[in-house]
Amino acid sequence: MTYSAAAATDPQLNGDTSGVITLDNLSVSFGGRPILKDLRGELRGRAIGLLGPNGAGKTTLIHTLLGFHPPSAGTARIFGRDIRGEANQIKSMIGYMPERDSFIAKMSCIHFVRFMAELSGLPPAAALERAHEALFFVGLGEARYRNLDTYSLGMKQLAKLAQAIVHGPRLIFLDEPTNGLDPPARLRMIKMIREIRDSGQANIVLSSHLLRDVEECCEEILILKDGRLVTYCNLEEERKANKKFLLLETRGELKGFVAAVDGLGCECAITSDHRLKIILQGGAEIRDLYRLAADAKVQIRRLAYKRDSLEDIFLKAMENGSDAGQVRPQNGVRMENDHGGS
Amino acid sequence: MPDRSGRKTEFGWRTIMAVLERSYKQFQGTLSPEWSRFLIIPRHAYRDVFRSKLFTGFFVLSFIWPLVCAILIYLHHNVEALGIMKINLRNLLPIDASFFQTYVIVQGTIGFFLAMLVGPQQVSRDLANNALPLYLCRPFTRSEYVFGKMSIVIILLSTITWAPGLILFLLQSYLEGWSWFVENISIASAIFLGSLVWILLLALLSQTISAWVKWRVAARAALLGLFFIPTIFSAIVNEIFQTRWGHLFDLQALIGNVWSGLFGTFVRQTGEQEQIRNGRLIGQAVVTEPPVWASWFMLFLICALCLWLLSRKVKAYEVVK
């Protein structure tokens, strides 16, 4: 069948208003052992971070969405298309950057990326042109005629990204894209992912162990634990919803100071020997804290406004998720799960 | 209308500055037909295959026998040349079903060695480099992958077996006349079908071995062994049980019977076997080949087994239980 990629893949062109990925009671088992358990929800973000501890099912979820593993129950839809019955149509819309090294032996990088573009359905001439463009985009323009076997780990990661985007997919799955990269290479990779996201031409699902990568690239996060979906939230809205608090680094005896701060009507928590978290309430101001500190002979060495980081959200999700797969629905997103309430 | 940096390509107007712009954009052109995508694999594989001078030399040499056959057919009809050479080639070497069967056997044997050089590395390389997820995450199915890999062998061997064979048949028909063509049309179908069965068998076996034996040299040895070890085994079975049914385990005998059946030269009764003990004749048995359908059936079973083995191995990821 010959058709225009854009017409076939753009859900808006097709009048399809469903989310990017819809999980509909999706379960996956290997050899009778459940790996993903009854996942439900509608993911709509431009960049979705997939988080979870090792063995949580992140890669299995990506592989199932790619059609590598059949669901044992339920299904999922990508741009409104069912992964069970419309796998080929879905695959023409997606790009995939695998976690492990995946290449075709004895090929130059340009040949490899062109080959991948042709397999995605691009005619040979267009595939070659797009391969050049993709390799320049990821920064391998000067090294594109070199054999892949001679590439460093960082260059191989970039080549994997190039093959994932060469055909201009609508949805890109990136599985641990910053693995093995040195700090400058990691920053370049993050920058490219953000560029793709900001182009508005593709949605991204990024699976990573590195919370910082997800925090820098993603708008929404989905946290899995033991094959269950424990949190799906909009990162920005979640941050806004959290109360802003003051993080204080101090020296001196804290008991008296804490009692005085409580007396002001503020919430106060000691996080370590010299650290305090304070939420200002009841008209209290920072100058009041300095005054109380001086009275209690406590030095304030550092004072800064903070909000919950992704790490805090992740750790909270892990704690919540430990209660038999409790799900924590968050702000601004639609999600359901049989195993937990809100 | 195109902008100033635009140009007309076969895909319509588009900008040519993408390499410099270095921005992400979707592909807006027309996609290639889905049915033809499996051919991408052999197209790219031949680049690598013909880089080897040894292989290219061997491939060129494999056209010698068709050339010899063409010369024989030509001489067969050239009275002057026969007169000069003072030999009666017409009686010495008739151009009939046996002539073309010999052609198929010789080219089939050469094809086996070509398949041995090309086939065993195809799937094993992809498995060793974790390349299968890259194929299968695209609109490209496992069947298309297997068929694409098989077509590397199929296309290559077609160029040295049935394609020149049919040209030889047409040459003979042209020189002998229309009536010969009509009377011997079954030879053409035997050349095509016989070669195709052999090529399919070789393609399936080489890809299956490639999928299960990752080391290329070992895979080649396994393919070689598959054609010679069962021959020894079948000879032992035939000797012990005073039969020829052992040939059902022998790939060479199986394809030989199928070719004989197609060319109409199959003789089921192959002779009598006498059992002699202490110098005395204690028994006599008529030895018969298994029927042609049994050979077809065995080949079908072998192909089915290969497909099953391939389906077990050709997966994006193996699930470790």
Side-chain angles (χ1 to χ4, degrees), chain A residues 51 211 221 223 225 230-231 309-322 328:
Chain A
L51 289 171
L211 301 181
I221 56 161
I223 301 177
K225 190 187 177 191
V230 287
T231 294
S309 65
L310 179 58
E311 193 176 347
D312 297 315
I313 296 169
F314 181 74
L315 290 173
K316 269 186 214 166
M318 288 300 103
E319 282 165 24
N320 291 349
S322 62
R328 187 170 162 244

Side-chain angles (χ1 to χ4, degrees), chain A residues 7-291:
Chain A
T9 56
D10 194 337
Q12 284 167 341
L13 287 178
N14 296 336
D16 188 350
T17 54
S18 61
V20 180
I21 298 170
T22 309
L23 304 172
D24 190 1
N25 294 56
L26 181 71
S27 300
V28 176
S29 300
F30 294 152
R33 182 174 157 243
I35 305 296
L36 296 178
K37 299 161 193 167
D38 205 21
L39 304 185
R40 287 188 193 185
E42 194 166 298
L43 322 184
R44 289 172 171 269
R46 277 190 308 166
I48 301 156
L50 200 51
L51 289 171
N54 290 335
K58 304 185 293 290
T59 301
T60 305
L61 176 59
I62 290 180
H63 287 179
T64 307
L65 294 173
L66 286 165
F68 296 164
H69 307 309
S72 54
T75 189
R77 280 182 289 281
I78 296 178
F79 295 124
R81 292 176 193 272
D82 199 313
I83 58 165
R84 281 180 182 270
E86 297 168 288
N88 251 20
Q89 288 98 316
I90 289 172
K91 284 177 182 179
S92 63
M93 300 183 214
I94 58 183
Y96 171 52
M97 177 182 172
E99 180 184 0
R100 289 194 296 174
D101 266 3
S102 303
F103 296 106
I104 310 238
K106 290 190 175 177
M107 272 193 186
S108 66
C109 191
I110 184 77
H111 187 183
F112 165 67
V113 178
R114 177 198 176 175
F115 182 49
M116 289 294 122
E118 282 190 51
L119 287 178
S120 299
L122 271 65
L128 182 62
E129 200 169 345
R130 297 271 314 188
H132 283 290
E133 290 173 7
L135 287 170
F136 270 99
F137 176 71
V138 301
L140 287 176
E142 300 303 318
R144 65 194 190 279
Y145 291 107
R146 269 172 57 187
N147 199 310
L148 282 164
D149 301 333
T150 67
Y151 273 23
S152 66
L153 189 61
M155 291 166 90
K156 281 182 179 173
Q157 289 290 86
L158 294 174
K160 277 198 289 178
L161 178 65
Q163 65 78 29
I165 62 170
V166 66
H167 53 295
R170 288 272 303 144
L171 175 64
I172 305 167
F173 289 99
L174 305 172
D175 201 352
E176 307 282 358
T178 55
N179 256 8
L181 297 183
D182 58 22
R186 181 190 154 272
L187 285 176
R188 269 205 310 277
M189 179 67 81
I190 296 289
K191 188 172 162 261
M192 270 183 292
I193 295 169
R194 291 169 71 155
E195 247 175 72
I196 295 170
R197 182 197 69 186
D198 295 339
S199 72
Q201 301 220 15
N203 295 77
I204 291 169
V205 174
L206 188 149
S207 165
S208 180
H209 287 101
L210 303 172
L211 301 181
R212 207 173 140 200
D213 289 355
V214 174
E215 201 161 22
E216 285 177 30
C217 297
C218 298
E219 296 164 338
E220 293 182 353
I221 56 161
L222 185 151
I223 301 177
L224 291 174
K225 190 187 177 191
D226 296 330
R228 291 185 197 283
L229 200 156
V230 287
T231 294
Y232 178 54
C233 68
N234 184 302
L235 215 47
E236 199 51 41
E237 286 179 19
E238 178 71 4
R239 280 190 192 125
K240 279 179 192 163
N242 287 331
K243 284 179 183 170
K244 203 159 77 169
F245 60 84
L246 282 167
L247 189 68
L248 272 70
E249 218 172 282
T250 60
R251 287 287 180 277
E253 184 55 50
L254 286 174
K255 272 187 186 171
F257 178 61
V258 169
V261 172
D262 281 342
L264 277 179
C266 301
E267 280 182 40
C268 183
I270 302 171
T271 55
S272 67
D273 282 354
H274 303 292
R275 284 191 177 183
L276 287 169
K277 272 185 178 181
I278 298 172
I279 299 170
L280 293 179
Q281 284 171 340
E285 292 179 14
I286 291 176
R287 77 176 80 169
D288 298 325
L289 295 181
Y290 278 108
R291 186 174 46 80

